[in-house]
Amino acid sequence: MAGPGHTTAPGRRRRSPAHDRIPARRRLKQPLRPTPHAASSRAPGRRQPRHRHQPHATNPGRIHPISFDHLVHRGLLHHLDVFLRDSEKIHNAWDLYSDEHTDLDGWPHDDHAYGLRQRQRDADTAAAFETLGAGARHLLATAGIQLPRLPPGSVQSHWVYRLGVLHTALDQLDALHEQWLRTRDGLPADAAPGTPAFDDALAEHHAECWSYLDDWATHGHIIDNINSAARHAPSPLAPPPRTAPAPAPTAGRTVEVRR
């Protein structure tokens, strides 16, 4: 663990080989984790081990709820769109701040201020996801039903992979939420919101969640893409188009056939 005042130069975000096969939404400098003064006891730049992303189809035994109410589904898609817009604004603001407050090698001019600003980014992203969080599994389950029924020509090859990323990220967010509840319950009785003990623990929780929330900000749009493709795809139950029969020749009328 790094001691006080020790920081690590932020490098590029580590990308898996699969990311190289799909368009990148954005490329950020790897931000420093909050410094000890900004309530993070982890070494700057370190990230917790990530589980390998698995396609959602390889998750036997897990049944996700699906809403058959089209109005409910449209409402959840609206929450997704709002999150995608808000997260984009948060990232753009962070990029601007990071570019203006780091040197050419990516080192912050002020470690403490940089850590506090990063902490705000993490909290804002978590808040933006709150409305979507309750319906995220409904959206994933619906997309998982829609995708195999689409005509092959309307399916993008990376959709299955990206759905797997979203499933894995949501699983990790759920696990981190349970971990946060245990941490919160273990705080001293006088550790209320607004006290350093509570705020520092919450900031650490947000820091752990941020990369998984960023997965949703990066890949979440494919749920809209799949839904749009499903709405425009012909129904497999639709009858074949009917052709009008050729009119019968009128009695007593001679039809000339050219040879």
Side-chain angles (χ1 to χ4, degrees), residues 93-181:
W94 168 254
D95 285 346
L96 181 62
Y97 175 89
S98 183
D99 289 342
E100 292 179 350
H101 293 81
T102 56
D103 60 23
L104 295 178
D105 294 325
W107 290 89
H109 301 312
D110 184 331
D111 289 342
H112 178 62
Y114 192 86
L116 290 176
R117 179 61 183 81
Q118 183 193 40
R119 192 157 101 168
Q120 184 64 49
R121 178 206 65 180
D122 297 346
D124 289 345
T125 307
F129 191 76
E130 284 183 358
T131 304
L132 171 62
R137 290 205 182 276
H138 290 267
L139 290 174
L140 287 176
T142 303
I145 293 297
Q146 292 171 328
L147 187 56
R149 301 181 179 183
L150 293 176
S154 64
V155 176
Q156 298 294 321
S157 60
H158 56 79
W159 283 357
V160 172
Y161 165 76
R162 294 195 183 206
L163 277 183
V165 172
L166 295 177
H167 271 281
T168 299
L170 193 58
D171 288 343
Q172 294 303 312
L173 289 170
D174 286 347
L176 288 170
H177 177 69
E178 294 300 321
Q179 178 181 313
W180 159 245
L181 294 179

Side-chain angles (χ1 to χ4, degrees), residues 54-256:
Q54 296 292 340
H56 63 285
T58 61
N59 212 356
R62 168 166 291 184
I63 300 176
H64 299 303
I66 301 175
S67 174
F68 294 97
D69 188 324
H70 294 295
L71 292 177
V72 170
H73 186 61
R74 283 201 296 268
L76 296 177
L77 290 172
H78 173 71
H79 292 323
L80 173 63
D81 291 339
V82 171
F83 167 71
L84 294 176
R85 290 197 302 268
D86 289 348
S87 65
E88 186 70 31
K89 293 176 183 177
I90 293 167
H91 272 284
N92 289 341
W94 168 254
D95 285 346
L96 181 62
Y97 175 89
S98 183
D99 289 342
E100 292 179 350
H101 293 81
T102 56
D103 60 23
L104 295 178
D105 294 325
W107 290 89
H109 301 312
D110 184 331
D111 289 342
H112 178 62
Y114 192 86
L116 290 176
R117 179 61 183 81
Q118 183 193 40
R119 192 157 101 168
Q120 184 64 49
R121 178 206 65 180
D122 297 346
D124 289 345
T125 307
F129 191 76
E130 284 183 358
T131 304
L132 171 62
R137 290 205 182 276
H138 290 267
L139 290 174
L140 287 176
T142 303
I145 293 297
Q146 292 171 328
L147 187 56
R149 301 181 179 183
L150 293 176
S154 64
V155 176
Q156 298 294 321
S157 60
H158 56 79
W159 283 357
V160 172
Y161 165 76
R162 294 195 183 206
L163 277 183
V165 172
L166 295 177
H167 271 281
T168 299
L170 193 58
D171 288 343
Q172 294 303 312
L173 289 170
D174 286 347
L176 288 170
H177 177 69
E178 294 300 321
Q179 178 181 313
W180 159 245
L181 294 179
R182 293 191 296 270
T183 298
R184 186 190 63 183
D185 293 343
L187 293 175
D190 59 349
T195 63
F198 184 95
D199 291 350
D200 290 354
L202 182 58
E204 179 67 15
H205 168 65
H206 287 158
E208 295 292 343
C209 291
W210 181 83
S211 64
Y212 301 110
L213 295 173
D214 187 56
D215 283 342
W216 269 83
T218 302
H219 302 285
H221 67 277
I222 63 105
I223 293 178
D224 271 329
N225 297 154
I226 293 172
N227 183 70
S228 179
R231 287 193 300 107
H232 293 91
S235 171
L237 302 180
R242 300 178 60 182
T243 58
T250 305
R253 183 178 179 181
T254 303
V255 179
E256 181 182 356

